[in-house]
Structures are given as structure tokens and as C-alpha cells.
Amino acid sequence: GEPLVMWWTLYDWAIWIAYAPLMGLFLAMISYGRTIRQFMIINWMLPACFGLIWFSIWGGTAINWQQNGVVDLIGAIKGSGAVAGLWAFLQHLPFSTILVPLVMVTLIISFATAADVMTTTIAMLCTKNIREGDEPPAWQKILWGVSIGVIAFCIVAFAGGAQGVDGVKYLAAAGGAIVLFIFVLQILSAIHTFFLSTVAE
């Protein structure tokens, strides 16, 4: 119901549950031939440290500005949505005329990179007898890329809410609920593999 998609913590969990299988496969692909130590440092520790520093600096600045009346971010978000809060924040930074276009380009590159990762991973799952290091056929990547783009456009354009966010939330919750069933089976399989099979031996 409505509380599920209004509660951002559950929404965030639902998104990660929906993304986890594809992201896990992608991380496995790019980590082939690496040690577990290298994998943990590159894919877990360094991103966590970067995220901590990134959110501390920008989040701390936003909270400080809100408390000291530099900019009313809460008012901007309530009035026009979360995206308006971002632009209001950026406009008060030094060199905002350079930063705003830079952020827009970065967002486009980030979206394109994530889309490429997802289309490559899905296309690999749909390709028979693909070997490690081989790229899936280009037509499959294009097919999945167009499909993802059309679904994203329809959700944002027609699903309602500020900037179509409600539709994205509903879709993430639905996808996460489906994948959650697979997760339960994976957990049962892991318990059987690591504990019950050992006891049987």
C-alpha cells in the first residue's frame, strides 16, 4: 500500500533487492581472476569510504545551510520535490554556473553506465554457451537497453507523483518482492550446503 512506497528505508531495500542479482553477476564478471582481498578492497571498502566522505561533506553542508538559514532546502523539497532541493543546494555553491552543467553531465554518464551494466548482464543471461570474457551479441544489448529505456520513460511520464517518483517506487517494490522469493530459496540452499550437508557426511 501507500505507506510502503512513502517509507524511503523500505523503498531503498526494495531497490537493492531488485538490483542485487544483476549487480552480483556484474561484480562477479568484473572480478574474475581477482583475489577475495582485492575484491573486498575495490568493491566494498573503497566505495564505502568514498560514500562516507561524500555524504559527510555534502550532507553536512546542506544541514548546516538549512540550520543557519542560508537556503531553505526543506521548503524547496516540499514545494517542488527532491530534485528542486538539489538544484537549490547547487545554486548556492561557489562556481555554481560551472557545477550545475557538470552535475547534469555526470548524472547522464552515471545513468548511461548503469544502463550499460544492466543491459550487458541481462544479455549475458540470455546468451547460450557464453564464455568468460565474451561480450553478448550487440542486438541483445540494444533490445534490453531499449526495453529498459521505454519502461523507465513510461513509469516517469505516466505513473504519477513528483517527477514520476511514485511509479518508480511501485515498480521497485514489485520487483523487489519477486526477487525476495528467490533470496529465500538462496538462503535455504546456503543453509543446506554449509550446515545440513556437513551433518549428513
Side-chain angles (χ1 to χ4, degrees):
E2 187 67 17
L4 173 65
V5 295
M6 292 295 291
W7 195 359
W8 278 94
T9 304
L10 287 179
Y11 166 56
D12 192 51
W13 290 348
I15 279 193
W16 280 108
I17 289 174
Y19 264 98
L22 290 177
M23 195 54 66
L25 287 170
F26 171 72
L27 290 174
M29 284 186 330
I30 65 172
S31 302
Y32 185 77
R34 309 285 183 207
T35 65
I36 293 176
R37 176 180 295 176
Q38 290 171 332
F39 175 84
M40 296 298 283
I41 291 172
I42 298 299
N43 292 311
W44 185 39
M45 294 179 185
L46 290 181
C49 292
F50 174 80
L52 182 64
I53 294 168
W54 178 268
F55 286 110
S56 296
I57 293 171
W58 298 113
T61 303
I63 291 170
N64 180 269
W65 284 0
Q66 180 68 40
Q67 289 177 335
N68 294 321
V70 176
V71 58
D72 185 15
L73 296 174
I74 294 174
I77 292 169
K78 285 183 177 178
S80 304
V83 177
L86 172 63
W87 299 130
F89 174 79
L90 290 174
Q91 287 170 358
H92 283 77
L93 288 172
F95 310 108
S96 61
T97 53
I98 298 171
L99 282 175
V100 170
L102 183 63
V103 167
M104 292 182 72
V105 170
T106 305
L107 288 171
I108 292 169
I109 292 172
S110 176
F111 175 79
T113 303
D116 181 61
V117 167
M118 291 299 108
T119 54
T120 301
T121 306
I122 295 170
M124 286 190 69
L125 289 173
C126 300
T127 305
K128 287 185 177 180
N129 302 322
I130 191 166
R131 295 179 180 177
E132 183 60 44
D134 290 347
E135 281 285 321
W139 69 267
Q140 280 201 23
K141 292 177 68 173
I142 293 169
L143 173 68
W144 284 110
V146 170
S147 301
I148 291 170
V150 168
I151 292 169
F153 173 78
C154 291
I155 289 295
V156 171
F158 305 112
Q163 293 93 33
V165 171
D166 288 348
V168 175
K169 289 181 185 178
Y170 282 116
L171 186 64
I178 294 168
V179 178
L180 186 60
F181 175 71
I182 299 172
F183 274 12
V184 171
L185 294 178
Q186 288 178 326
I187 291 170
L188 293 175
S189 175
I191 291 171
H192 181 270
T193 301
F194 292 116
F195 299 105
L196 299 181
S197 59
T198 307
V199 172
E201 290 175 2

